[in-house]
Each structure stands twice: as C-alpha cells, then as structure tokens.
Amino acid sequence: MDERVYVGNADVDALSERGWLLGHFRPEDDPRHSQDVEIKWGVHPPGDERAEWVTGEERTALLVLISGRFRVELPGRSVLLAKRGDYVVWGHGVDHSWYAEEESGVLTVRWPSVPGYAVGG
C-alpha cells in the first residue's frame, strides 16, 4: 500500500478535528498533513450557528454550499448560499460568522494552514 495515499469518508473522518480533514494539525506522515491549506467537511443541522465571530483572521477562505441554505455573515454584509455550488470567498483580515438556515452541507477551504489556530470554526 502506498503510504502517500489516504482513502476515507468525509462524514466519518470529520468526526475528529471538528470537521477539518486536511491541514497542519494532521501528523506529518499522514497524506492529509499540509502547511499550505486546510479543508473542512461541515454538516450542520438547521439553526446551527457559530458561537462567536472569528476576528483577526490571517487566512483566506472559500466556502462552497453542497446542500441546504447556509448564511455567512461578514462585516456589513450577509451572504446567503441557497443553490448547490454557491460559494463565497473572503480574504485576510475579514471577520466572519455563519448560520445554517436549513440542514446544510458545506466544504470549506482555507489557506495557509496556520499553526496556533484552534481547529474549529
């Protein structure tokens, strides 16, 4: 077996690391270890919301809606993702929060993968 290959299931693997599948927090010998990018698989029940805003963000993020209705709150702007494939990107220094209007599946990619940040959010 090639140890540079990992095959898994996002629903199962997301149970650890609060949904984050790939990033600096994975062991260095794990193919999912990356200093460059983090990827999260999020499944949110209706009414699920981030406990508090993320502030002082040092990364860029992309959030893609897979299913449901998901709202991303940004300073001065609320973005509703309502159609599969809708996405939003926010950059370095942009605070954010989110709210699941319906049961929602989302894929989040953020970069770089910065040690010292708590895995979550």
Side-chain angles (χ1 to χ4, degrees):
M1 178 163 77
D2 190 337
E3 293 182 10
R4 297 171 296 164
V5 175
Y6 179 90
V7 177
N9 177 279
D11 284 328
V12 173
D13 292 349
L15 296 175
S16 68
E17 307 294 350
R18 296 180 55 194
W20 290 99
L21 301 175
L22 187 145
H24 74 273
F25 40 81
R26 295 290 181 182
E28 288 193 22
D29 62 346
D30 187 323
R32 298 170 297 165
H33 175 86
S34 174
Q35 299 290 336
D36 300 317
V37 67
E38 298 172 355
I39 299 177
K40 182 177 186 178
W41 176 256
V43 178
H44 302 277
D48 193 18
E49 63 185 317
R50 193 162 202 315
E52 59 188 46
W53 278 66
V54 174
T55 59
E57 182 61 76
E58 294 183 18
R59 299 159 296 186
T60 299
L62 160 74
L63 187 143
V64 181
L65 182 70
I66 296 167
S67 63
R69 286 174 60 93
F70 197 80
R71 185 171 299 279
V72 177
E73 300 294 341
L74 303 166
R77 184 169 185 187
S78 183
V79 177
L80 177 62
L81 306 176
K83 180 180 174 189
R84 183 182 65 199
D86 285 353
Y87 68 94
V88 60
V89 177
W90 61 92
H92 174 89
V94 177
D95 299 342
H96 70 278
S97 190
W98 51 259
Y99 176 79
E101 292 191 354
E102 298 176 354
E103 181 174 318
S104 299
V106 297
L107 182 72
T108 304
V109 180
R110 65 184 182 195
W111 62 94
S113 185
V114 179
Y117 270 84
V119 173

